[in-house]
Amino acid sequence: MSSMLSSFSQWFVNPRRNPLARIHMLTVSSRLKKYGLRYDDLYDPYFDLDIKEALARLPQEVVDARIQRLKRAMDLSMKHQYLPDDLQALQTPFKSYLSDMLALVSAFADACLFHLTCSLHKQVFLHVNKLF
């Protein structure tokens, strides 16, 4: 049952196989291009500490470019304008700059949590053995 659910969820979110996912991806892409944003720019570093850490580990030029894109998008939004069509054509909204570092940080956090959990279990086990 879980493999069937897993295969369905993979089909459901894959834009190459599901026409609804393709339409959604094209809609998101068009909206991001209007403001000159990338999908990774939408991640909020105040919401997730892994994202905050991943952004801190990226090169400063990448972080500065992200901040500049966000500022430009806010400025365009406040003016109720979009990027000119020639600049929209140059945008790459799904070119990721954060996913590799985010995967590294998440793996490191999971490993730390695993070691912390193991050490806590060990301390509890030793404490229980001393009681008996």
Side-chain angles (χ1 to χ4, degrees):
M1 179 67 179
S2 66
S3 65
M4 188 171 87
L5 186 61
S6 175
S7 63
F8 174 74
S9 64
Q10 288 176 359
W11 170 83
F12 188 72
V13 298
N14 188 348
R16 292 184 179 150
R17 296 171 64 193
N18 183 355
L20 295 175
R22 186 178 312 114
I23 292 169
H24 176 70
M25 187 185 89
L26 292 174
T27 303
V28 170
S29 174
S30 132
R31 290 183 181 177
L32 289 173
K33 283 181 180 182
K34 288 179 181 180
Y35 293 105
L37 291 171
R38 290 188 180 172
Y39 190 79
D40 287 352
D41 295 337
L42 303 178
Y43 290 121
D44 186 5
Y46 297 110
F47 182 71
D48 189 358
L49 293 178
D50 287 348
I51 293 169
K52 183 177 182 179
E53 181 63 27
L55 285 171
R57 292 183 182 195
L58 286 174
Q60 191 60 41
E61 308 86 48
V62 175
V63 176
D64 290 343
R66 176 183 192 267
I67 292 170
Q68 191 63 35
R69 284 191 301 272
L70 289 169
K71 285 181 180 180
R72 178 180 57 192
M74 286 188 283
D75 183 50
L76 288 169
S77 176
M78 293 295 288
K79 293 177 181 176
H80 300 284
Q81 296 177 350
Y82 298 129
L83 278 178
D85 290 336
D86 57 335
L87 288 178
Q88 283 186 33
L90 298 174
Q91 301 303 312
T92 53
F94 290 109
K95 182 178 179 186
S96 180
Y97 61 90
L98 190 61
S99 61
D100 293 337
M101 189 61 70
L102 186 58
L104 183 69
V105 168
S106 295
F108 180 73
D110 290 344
C112 288
L113 183 63
F114 175 75
H115 289 297
L116 178 67
T117 305
C118 287
S119 67
L120 285 175
H121 284 292
K122 185 177 180 182
Q123 288 175 3
V124 168
F125 180 74
L126 291 175
H127 181 70
V128 169
N129 280 341
K130 286 181 185 177
L131 293 175
F132 295 107

